[in-house]
Amino acid sequence: MATSYVPLRLRSRYSLLGGTVSAAAMGAHLARLGFGAGAMVDAGNVCGAVDFYTGMVAEGVKPILGAEVECKATGARLGLIALTRNGYGRVCKVVTDTNLKQGALIDLLSDAAGARGLDGVAVLAAAPGYASEVAEVAGRDRVWVQAVLNRERPRDVRAKVGEARRRGLKVVADWEVLGETREDAALLCTLQAMREGRLVSQVRLEAREPWLERLPYIEREARGLEEALRETVRIAGMVDFDLGLGASHFPRATPSPAESLAGLRAMCEAALPARYRGGESAARRRLEAELDIIARLGFADYFLVVADIVGYARRQSIPVCGRGSGASSIVSYLLGITHVDPISQGLLLERFLNEHRPDYPDLDVDLSWQRRDEVIRYVYERFGHDRVAMISTHNTFEARSAAREVAKAFGLGPSEAQALASLLPHSYRREHDGVGEKVAACLGQVKPEMPADAAALLGRTVSQVVGFPHHSSVHCGGVVISDRPITYYTALELAPKGVAVTQADMHAVEKLGLVKIDLLGNRALAVVEDTVKAAGVAASDPAAIEPDDPKTAALLEAGDTLSCFNLESPAMRNLLAMLKARDRDDAILALALVRPGPAAGGMKEKYIRLRARDNGNGGRPRTG
């Protein structure tokens, strides 16, 4: 195709339920149509930016990142296109401010602008008068009047072009794209009805033929606007930046990597004598090996930051402990992040950290759920409110929720829609080949008078909606701490709980190089805290607890562990009794054996038989 047009108004599924094409698939579609570049400009968010960017690069198509923002007070809208890496940060800043702050859009633009105006950003405004106002903030060379050809009447476009010329402003002509082909029309109307709480019969698409398949033919439909079409190519040519995926952006705990490593070593060596009384030689060898790997991978700051957070919890008497594969690290043990001695337990460091795994290790930190917010508040205050954020999760429609919402858009009452959803199996949690047919069959029970063709259409629409973004929420424990303001990497928004979260989800956050730290609320730790208070005794370090308490051993042997974290399920209680468990090591064995792999492979039964055989000698069957 000719190179005199670049689509600047592609909408993905993240555009407030307004588009049907996935962000990741845009590149393949544009490459097939012969385009060398394209811009995704979703409404109020950059949720799909990373998927769009990686998908476009994989197809050899130039990714152009942007967003459309709206003034809450006036309803005025602006399209923002990132021209440089700093410009992308400014786009994220403006999107964040429109989500989190009150005020006129021009004031928010002014806040995001640097000394050179809104440098690195192209601003697209629908109204020439408003564009003139924006130009005072963003700079006249960075503002265009946008004419969306499939949303505006030809005579209105001509009038807009004339007024823009009188004001000395450039015009860019564009075509809004919401779907791949005209076959997406019914789905788009359904999504619009769901978003607006109306019936499908009450809505119509405002944009004419908003399909990817129409893009190659726009030039013939825009005669007389050749200069405006060429401006899209000019804007695309101005875009020049790499999103820098894969590089890490974790904050420094000290001014330099060498100081961080020295500080980490000093903390570990100071704790060594207390943790390993009389057996320091093996521990020192293990410590040196770990510090060598940590130095080569550049992870010293990460351990120092996590230790700082755990240390704060301990100073405030907040129950805390690390878990997961981090227990394989002697550095974690010496820093007090975990309480498991990896040497005595024979744990392999490589499961947690090795030089062939360059991504950051995963240290899960459990906190009393009653006081987790205190620790999170400390993290914000310690590292900076602009450099810390909770991570979002992008909740998608599953079969039941899709059936309920689509049914209401098709005219079923709320009780009928709920009844339909309830008939679907819980196993239909994600995309399922037979969900459409199942929905149509269930409609025969809920609304038998519905014609078969209408029921089939409703079922097909449900199957299409499954997997679409529904809403964002807060990750159960993920927090990111950045080396610079979070908005340099992604925009923020308010989750339904009122917490500001990254618009990038956990996977996109990792690709952006932001390191996730899991600070998890744990009810069991709260129970321990309450028990200690009720008993009127001082809380002690778990390492100081006597390992061979007779009363505890009797409870384990009888499987009387109801309400004990990780030991309370019927399967665990039964297994403890069969093993005649007596101590912590036996409990650890039981936790390993109850997992699906050993249970399904017959290892659990085999171990129980060997245990029964050797119990008479007071022994324990050898493992490995």
Side-chain angles (χ1 to χ4, degrees):
M1 63 166 285
T3 58
S4 58
Y5 174 68
V6 172
L8 294 178
R9 201 176 170 91
L10 302 172
R11 308 286 203 176
S12 81
R13 293 180 181 182
Y14 285 107
S15 196
L16 302 177
L17 288 178
T20 62
V21 185
S22 74
M26 289 282 194
H29 291 306
L30 291 177
R32 176 173 52 80
L33 295 171
F35 283 89
M40 187 179 74
V41 184
D42 278 340
N45 75 81
V46 293
C47 295
V50 173
D51 284 344
F52 175 75
Y53 182 91
T54 54
M56 294 280 279
V57 170
E59 296 292 338
V61 182
K62 185 177 187 176
I64 303 173
L65 302 177
E68 184 180 76
V69 292
E70 180 178 357
C71 179
K72 295 177 182 177
T74 65
R77 296 182 181 182
L78 293 174
L80 306 177
I81 302 290
L83 305 177
T84 64
R85 182 61 187 83
N86 286 335
Y88 180 68
R90 288 194 172 98
V91 170
C92 291
K93 176 72 163 60
V94 175
V95 172
T96 298
D97 288 347
T98 57
N99 288 331
L100 304 184
K101 295 182 179 179
Q102 299 293 326
L105 185 52
I106 288 184
D107 293 337
L108 299 180
L109 286 175
S110 181
D111 290 343
R116 298 169 56 189
L118 209 64
D119 193 34
V121 179
V123 184
L124 314 180
Y130 192 50
S132 294
E133 294 181 48
V134 174
E136 298 300 318
V137 173
R140 185 164 291 271
D141 62 333
R142 290 291 185 267
V143 176
W144 283 259
V145 175
Q146 185 179 35
V148 184
L149 302 183
N150 60 337
R151 276 187 171 268
E152 303 175 46
R153 295 178 299 181
R155 67 180 183 184
D156 293 334
V157 171
R158 289 193 296 270
K160 179 182 289 188
V161 170
E163 185 180 352
R165 286 174 178 166
R166 288 191 295 274
R167 292 176 178 272
L169 295 168
K170 306 177 291 293
V171 178
V172 60
D174 205 6
W175 192 275
E176 183 171 63
V177 176
L178 300 174
E180 184 182 356
T181 70
R182 64 185 68 254
E183 294 177 357
D184 288 337
L187 177 57
L188 280 167
C189 286
T190 302
L191 293 173
Q192 184 176 333
M194 291 163 59
R195 182 176 70 249
E196 298 174 0
R198 300 165 68 188
L199 300 179
V200 173
S201 59
Q202 296 173 331
V203 302
R204 65 180 182 84
L205 297 179
E206 295 179 5
R208 302 183 305 277
E209 299 199 67
W211 322 122
L212 280 164
E213 67 180 4
R214 293 296 300 164
L215 290 179
Y217 309 102
I218 290 174
E219 291 174 275
R220 71 179 64 167
E221 299 184 22
R223 292 185 178 90
L225 294 170
E226 288 79 10
E227 179 61 31
L229 287 176
R230 283 193 288 273
E231 284 297 314
T232 65
V233 177
R234 181 166 173 259
I235 292 173
M238 295 168 67
V239 175
D240 183 20
F241 72 92
D242 187 328
L243 202 53
L245 301 183
S248 173
H249 305 294
F250 197 72
R252 291 261 178 233
T254 70
S256 71
E259 290 179 71
S260 295
L261 186 63
L264 181 63
R265 175 184 293 277
M267 291 174 66
C268 291
E269 289 182 346
L272 200 65
R275 285 291 204 184
Y276 291 96
R277 293 185 178 91
E280 294 182 25
S281 58
R284 286 191 181 278
R285 288 194 299 271
R286 174 69 173 260
L287 176 60
E288 288 302 322
E290 285 195 25
L291 288 175
D292 179 60
I293 294 175
I294 290 170
R296 276 182 278 158
L297 295 177
F299 291 163
D301 293 293
Y302 176 75
F303 282 91
L304 290 175
V305 168
V306 176
D308 182 301
I309 296 169
V310 172
Y312 170 80
R314 290 233 165 79
R315 292 193 300 274
Q316 302 302 313
S317 300
I318 299 172
V320 57
C321 69
R323 64 176 168 89
S325 59
S328 299
S329 164
I330 194 172
V331 170
S332 298
Y333 180 56
L334 293 173
L335 294 176
I337 296 171
T338 62
H339 295 300
V340 178
D341 175 10
I343 294 180
S344 66
Q345 297 296 327
L347 301 179
L348 299 176
L349 172 68
E350 289 74 15
R351 182 173 178 269
F352 169 66
L353 186 68
N354 65 77
E355 53 190 318
H356 302 294
R357 176 187 168 185
D359 53 317
Y360 273 74
D362 196 12
L363 280 171
D364 294 336
V365 178
D366 281 344
L367 299 153
S368 167
W369 74 277
Q370 295 171 325
R371 303 185 64 187
R372 172 175 171 260
D373 288 348
E374 295 178 43
V375 179
I376 292 176
R377 188 160 51 248
Y378 167 77
V379 174
Y380 274 91
E381 293 170 355
R382 170 72 174 82
F383 299 99
H385 286 261
D386 62 336
R387 302 188 178 207
V388 178
M390 305 295 290
I391 300 174
S392 72
T393 58
H394 296 161
N395 296 308
T396 57
F397 282 99
E398 295 179 351
R400 286 188 162 200
S401 56
R404 182 172 55 251
E405 298 307 316
V406 171
K408 287 189 287 187
F410 271 63
L412 274 69
S415 59
E416 293 174 320
Q418 182 58 49
L420 172 64
S422 299
L423 289 174
L424 295 176
H426 281 288
S427 59
Y428 284 18
R429 294 187 61 80
R430 295 182 178 87
E431 290 86 347
H432 193 286
D433 290 339
V435 67
E437 293 80 0
K438 183 67 175 178
V439 169
C442 292
L443 277 167
Q445 302 178 49
V446 175
K447 204 170 183 67
E449 68 275 17
M450 178 176 281
D453 58 344
L457 175 61
L458 195 157
R460 285 197 303 274
T461 306
V462 169
S463 67
Q464 291 174 304
V465 171
V466 170
F468 269 59
H470 187 196
H471 66 278
S472 64
S473 187
V474 187
H475 187 278
C476 62
V479 177
V480 287
I481 307 173
S482 172
D483 59 348
R484 60 197 305 171
I486 295 287
T487 52
Y488 184 76
Y489 303 106
T490 184
L492 305 178
E493 67 182 17
L494 278 180
K497 293 182 179 180
V499 178
V501 297
T502 61
Q503 287 193 331
D505 68 0
M506 177 182 71
H507 305 292
V509 157
E510 290 176 351
K511 291 178 182 177
L512 285 167
L514 297 174
V515 180
K516 175 174 67 74
I517 298 176
D518 283 324
L519 304 178
L520 304 161
N522 189 307
R523 289 182 179 272
L525 288 176
V527 170
V528 171
E529 182 181 25
D530 292 341
T531 302
V532 168
K533 289 178 180 178
V537 298
S540 60
D541 187 324
I545 296 174
E546 292 298 328
D548 55 355
D549 176 64
K551 292 182 179 179
T552 303
L555 291 173
L556 282 174
E557 187 174 16
D560 190 7
T561 54
L562 197 62
S563 298
C564 294
F565 181 60
N566 270 358
L567 304 180
E568 61 183 335
S569 71
M572 271 300 300
R573 287 185 279 128
N574 183 51
L575 180 56
L576 289 170
M578 294 173 70
L579 291 173
K580 298 188 181 302
R582 296 287 300 174
D583 54 27
R584 185 172 61 181
D585 288 342
D586 287 343
I588 293 171
L589 284 169
L591 285 167
L593 289 170
V594 84
R595 303 296 297 169
M603 288 181 278
K604 182 175 73 172
E605 288 75 12
K606 183 177 180 180
Y607 187 89
I608 290 171
R609 289 197 304 271
L610 293 172
R611 177 68 171 244
R613 183 196 68 189
D614 293 349
N615 254 346
N617 301 322
R620 181 181 287 134
R622 289 186 299 173
T623 58

